[in-house]
């Protein structure tokens, strides 16, 4: 599972690599919501706060009852 592999990279603190892999394999990830959730998590952890904020708000507008 691609998302599981990326999550493992994230847990091991290989954040840049995890984000690169996520972007490289975007077309193979069917669940785009999971893709965007993983992307926002990585962006925030990497300190890309403006980009992460924009994506977070997009996710929130899609499903306001399901976010932290």
């Amino acid at each position: 599972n691609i998302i599981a592999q990326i999550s493992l990279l994230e847990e091991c603190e290989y954040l840049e690599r995890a984000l690169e892999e996520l972007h490289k394999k975007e077309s193979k990830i069917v669940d785009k919501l999971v893709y965007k959730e993983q992307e926002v998590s990585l962006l925030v952890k990497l300190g890309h706060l403006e980009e992460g904020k924009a994506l977070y708000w997009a996710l929130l507008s899609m499903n306001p009852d399901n976010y932290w």
Side-chain angles (χ1 to χ4, degrees), residues 1-33:
N1 180 323
I2 296 168
I3 292 295
Q5 292 171 352
I6 292 167
S7 293
L8 182 60
L9 288 170
E10 182 178 8
E11 287 176 29
C12 293
E13 309 236 351
Y14 296 118
L15 303 176
E16 288 284 348
R17 184 165 172 215
L19 188 59
E20 289 172 17
E21 288 297 314
L22 184 69
H23 288 160
K24 276 198 266 185
K25 297 184 176 161
E26 179 180 6
S27 64
K28 295 179 182 180
I29 299 170
V30 177
D31 190 338
K32 296 306 178 190
L33 185 59

Side-chain angles (χ1 to χ4, degrees), residues 18-67:
L19 188 59
E20 289 172 17
E21 288 297 314
L22 184 69
H23 288 160
K24 276 198 266 185
K25 297 184 176 161
E26 179 180 6
S27 64
K28 295 179 182 180
I29 299 170
V30 177
D31 190 338
K32 296 306 178 190
L33 185 59
V34 169
Y35 172 86
K36 289 186 181 303
E37 289 170 343
Q38 186 74 43
E39 184 178 26
V40 77
S41 174
L42 290 166
L43 288 170
V44 169
K45 287 178 181 178
L46 285 165
H48 302 285
L49 302 181
E50 286 303 312
E51 195 176 348
K53 178 181 170 183
L55 186 52
Y56 176 78
W57 282 111
L59 286 168
L60 189 57
S61 71
M62 291 165 40
N63 190 354
D65 297 327
N66 196 29
Y67 291 96

